[in-house]
Amino acid sequence: MLFPYRNIVVLTGAGISAESGIRTFRDQDGLWENHHIEDVATPEGYRRDPALVQDFYNQRRQQLLSGTVAPNAAHLALAKLEQELDGKVTIVTQNIDNLHEAAGTRNIIHMHGELLKAQCSQTGQTVNWQGDISLDDHCHCCQMPAPMRPNVVWFGEMPIGMDRIHDALLEADLFISIGTSGAVYPAAGFVHEAAMHGAHTIELNLEPSEVEDEFAEKRYGPASVMVPELVD
Ligand code: BV8
């Protein structure tokens, strides 16, 4: 158990879901392999070719809804930590899958959005969405119904929950990063912010991330082994 910590912030990235069968972005056969980031993860790319972008996210949503992916031991260990710690655990995830919730995590911030929600491209209002988003799907919140888009934060868009995240980093006495390459900001900067406020910092990853030097402690190996080892 992680005594004596009482305020733990955990940042997760695609690597925590890799052993559940969800592809990462920048690894071998990653999601970016057959897509240019600017074509599928920017507002410009969506405006240029909405059908291509919808299809990129529809395929990932279908996988999530297919029943073929489940939380792995890393997600389950974090949910157990939240239940058992005499203190507070905040999961800040860059992932848009629902595997943390499926494992039982409750206190979670999806800073890059959620695959199982859609949003009005005009107002940003979100609704739960359990199927494909087609170009014919329009919102119910605007006088002139606007197209529905994936509820996902693209490059150049403001991540979700930044105030809550900064508050959590201010209080944290332990910051753990799991399964992220540290390639994307502002998430990659959270370790520096937590350390500045006196938190101990641990990186758990398959290999050193781009911000490995910022961590006080580093342990490398698959998340399904490393996270239970740290938490139990
Ligand atoms: C913003 C969409 C500002 C969702 C994604 C400095 C400060 C602030 C911003 C910037 C900055 N410098 C540059 C920027 C701009 C930009 C940015 O960071 N660019 C990068 C390329 C330099 N950031 C932004 O635009 C962000 N917005 O800053 O807004 C603003 C302010 C005011 C007003 C408006 C705006 C928005 C960033 C969000 C972009 N959206 N995707 C989706 O499609 O899912 S990013 C994409 O990368 C995903 O969201 C993903 O979450 C994220 C990070 O990737 P990882 O999760 O780390 O995955 P990756 O494949 O890279 O790595 C996996 C790791 O796991 C590897 O290290 C691997 O070794 C490991 N692993 C693999 N298997 C395992 C494992 N580990 C353990 N066990 C295993 N089994």
Side-chain angles (χ1 to χ4, degrees):
M1 278 307 285
L2 287 167
F3 299 119
Y5 300 110
R6 298 180 54 77
N7 258 300
I8 303 177
V9 173
V10 184
L11 172 69
T12 64
I16 198 170
S17 297
E19 290 163 272
S20 296
I22 295 183
R23 291 160 75 183
T24 62
F25 292 90
R26 297 171 180 84
D27 286 323
Q28 205 62 31
D29 92 334
L31 280 163
W32 295 148
E33 192 136 273
N34 28 24
H35 286 288
H36 292 290
I37 294 185
E38 56 278 358
D39 291 343
V40 290
T42 60
E44 300 73 24
Y46 174 69
R47 274 194 293 279
R48 199 168 41 241
D49 188 344
L52 172 79
V53 175
Q54 293 291 20
D55 182 53
F56 177 64
Y57 289 97
N58 286 341
Q59 285 184 32
R60 293 166 66 187
R61 192 175 306 103
Q62 282 159 21
Q63 182 192 23
L64 215 44
L65 294 169
S66 67
T68 59
V69 294
N72 64 56
H75 298 104
L76 294 166
L78 291 177
K80 181 164 170 268
L81 175 67
E82 180 183 14
Q83 279 136 31
E84 294 182 357
L85 185 80
D86 175 18
K88 192 172 162 202
V89 177
T90 305
I91 306 287
V92 178
T93 187
Q94 300 172 90
N95 300 339
I96 60 176
D97 64 52
N98 64 340
L99 296 185
H100 282 299
E101 292 89 336
T105 284
R106 289 216 295 277
N107 186 22
I108 183 165
I109 301 167
H110 278 275
M111 66 178 291
H112 290 167
E114 296 178 71
L115 208 42
L116 298 184
K117 286 186 180 157
Q119 77 182 69
C120 167
S121 51
Q122 201 66 33
T123 65
Q125 273 190 40
T126 61
V127 289
N128 290 327
W129 205 274
Q130 302 281 326
D132 286 359
I133 302 176
S134 91
L135 299 181
D136 305 331
D137 288 314
H138 284 68
C139 75
H140 296 292
C141 57
C142 299
Q143 200 66 29
M144 289 281 288
M148 295 304 280
R149 56 163 274 186
N151 173 44
V152 163
V153 176
W154 286 324
F155 286 98
E157 294 185 323
M158 190 59 167
I160 294 163
M162 290 305 292
D163 291 345
R164 280 179 63 198
I165 295 170
H166 289 308
D167 290 347
L169 293 171
L170 203 60
E171 308 277 309
D173 52 15
L174 176 61
F175 177 84
I176 309 170
S177 175
I178 305 170
T180 180
S181 60
V184 174
Y185 288 83
F190 292 163
V191 53
H192 183 77
E193 191 171 338
M196 258 190 341
H197 298 304
H200 179 55
T201 55
I202 304 176
E203 171 169 89
L204 300 184
N205 207 48
L206 210 47
E207 63 203 4
S209 73
E210 293 185 23
V211 288
E212 55 141 333
D213 294 340
E214 300 272 357
F215 288 88
E217 197 181 334
K218 312 166 206 185
R219 303 182 189 185
Y220 298 114
S224 65
V225 172
M226 307 308 286
V227 181
E229 224 168 67
L230 177 75
V231 165
D232 289 345

